[in-house]
Amino acid sequence: MSTAPSNSVNAPAQISNLDRWLQLVFGILCMAMIANLQYGWTLFVHPMHERFHWHRAAIQVAFTLFVLAETWPVPFAGWIVDRFGPRRLFLLGTLGTNVLGLTFSMIHAYPWLLVNQGASGFFRSLLFAPGLVLIASWFPPNRRATAMGLFITGGFSSNVLLNLVGPALEAAYGWRFCFLLAGSSAVTYLGGLALDAAESDRDVASRPTLLRRRMSRLTRTTEKFVEGTRAAA
């Protein structure tokens, strides 16, 4: 008996056009919030070198390890999606990567840096295949390629935002704060979505409404957290 998920890519979910694009934007944000771990070496190598006195090349090796770990497991992630569906795998990958973004802000030893980057790269590899399959399930055939292109471009273009605001944040609050802010924001949002998973599974049509409600509620929580973190810094 086949274990393939029953939802068909050829039959997009019955949701409004606005809700499709809202979910796409949220998917892009899930990819973008982990830019520190992949693109941050240009900003964070020097302050980490100053703090720990590790060789710059050694720090760059850790960021390279992230790229290697996110690349090779992608076919394995696709195999899992083919058998069990994309949504939970995408949530797992996003939560795992951003939790490790939080732990990056606590790093104090080089072996921990290597383990953290390798593990976070693996979780990042769980995002690509399920993300594209989810988009295919949301959009009709004449919009899928456009949506997929935006998903990939938006996620990889997050390094532009990082390089625009990252230097100011690092100078004002330190490199740890950059990882703490990005990781905590994403984990807060995704934790709320995980709480809604069971209800969302029972009622597919309610997913966009639940998404908007949870995003609104958790935006306020994140704002309070950021204000408290700035005060502590």
Side-chain angles (χ1 to χ4, degrees), residues 83-166:
R83 283 152 181 80
F84 303 106
R87 198 163 64 89
R88 287 183 175 83
L89 189 64
F90 186 83
L91 181 62
L92 174 64
T94 312
L95 278 174
T97 309
N98 284 285
V99 166
L100 288 162
L102 280 173
T103 60
F104 194 106
S105 68
M106 310 170 194
I107 281 174
H108 62 274
Y110 185 71
W112 186 359
L113 174 65
L114 293 177
V115 171
N116 197 92
Q117 285 294 87
S120 58
F122 172 77
F123 279 105
R124 174 67 184 267
S125 73
L126 303 181
L127 299 181
F128 297 104
L132 293 174
V133 173
L134 282 171
I135 291 172
S137 71
W138 297 336
F139 288 86
N142 63 336
R143 291 290 185 271
R144 285 175 189 162
T146 301
M148 289 177 179
L150 290 171
F151 175 73
I152 296 298
T153 302
F156 283 105
S157 297
S158 56
N159 64 321
V160 176
L161 179 62
L162 174 64
N163 283 279
L164 287 175
V165 303

Side-chain angles (χ1 to χ4, degrees), residues 188-189 214-224:
T188 301
Y189 283 115
R214 183 63 64 178
M215 286 179 68
S216 176
R217 185 184 307 167
L218 292 176
T219 295
R220 296 191 296 269
T221 303
T222 303
E223 290 173 350
K224 293 179 180 178

Side-chain angles (χ1 to χ4, degrees), residues 47 51 55 124 158 167 205 213:
R51 172 64 179 83
H55 290 294
R124 174 67 184 267
S158 56
R213 184 182 65 199

Side-chain angles (χ1 to χ4, degrees), residues 4-232:
S6 59
N7 56 313
S8 173
V9 169
N10 295 321
Q14 299 302 310
I15 59 179
S16 71
N17 192 54
L18 176 62
D19 289 325
R20 290 189 181 102
W21 292 104
L22 177 63
Q23 291 184 101
L24 175 61
V25 169
F26 186 79
I28 292 174
L29 289 175
C30 289
M31 296 282 285
M33 293 302 287
I34 52 184
N36 288 348
L37 296 168
Q38 181 171 11
Y39 307 113
W41 65 271
T42 56
L43 295 176
F44 304 122
V45 167
H46 179 69
M48 293 179 72
H49 167 73
E50 293 293 318
R51 172 64 179 83
F52 299 112
H53 304 291
W54 300 331
H55 290 294
R56 289 182 174 84
I59 301 173
Q60 292 172 359
V61 165
F63 284 94
T64 302
L65 181 61
F66 177 94
V67 177
L68 292 175
E70 78 165 337
T71 303
W72 294 105
V74 170
F76 173 70
W79 181 85
I80 295 177
V81 170
D82 286 339
R83 283 152 181 80
F84 303 106
R87 198 163 64 89
R88 287 183 175 83
L89 189 64
F90 186 83
L91 181 62
L92 174 64
T94 312
L95 278 174
T97 309
N98 284 285
V99 166
L100 288 162
L102 280 173
T103 60
F104 194 106
S105 68
M106 310 170 194
I107 281 174
H108 62 274
Y110 185 71
W112 186 359
L113 174 65
L114 293 177
V115 171
N116 197 92
Q117 285 294 87
S120 58
F122 172 77
F123 279 105
R124 174 67 184 267
S125 73
L126 303 181
L127 299 181
F128 297 104
L132 293 174
V133 173
L134 282 171
I135 291 172
S137 71
W138 297 336
F139 288 86
N142 63 336
R143 291 290 185 271
R144 285 175 189 162
T146 301
M148 289 177 179
L150 290 171
F151 175 73
I152 296 298
T153 302
F156 283 105
S157 297
S158 56
N159 64 321
V160 176
L161 179 62
L162 174 64
N163 283 279
L164 287 175
V165 303
L169 288 175
E170 192 279 323
Y173 303 108
W175 62 270
R176 293 185 188 275
F177 175 80
C178 297
F179 288 94
L180 181 64
L181 176 62
S184 60
S185 299
V187 169
T188 301
Y189 283 115
L190 290 164
L193 291 178
L195 294 176
D196 285 333
E199 183 178 353
S200 176
D201 279 337
R202 290 193 296 270
D203 185 2
V204 174
S206 71
R207 290 177 188 171
T209 303
L210 290 170
L211 179 63
R212 289 196 298 267
R213 184 182 65 199
R214 183 63 64 178
M215 286 179 68
S216 176
R217 185 184 307 167
L218 292 176
T219 295
R220 296 191 296 269
T221 303
T222 303
E223 290 173 350
K224 293 179 180 178
F225 174 85
V226 172
E227 290 174 1
T229 305
R230 286 178 175 175

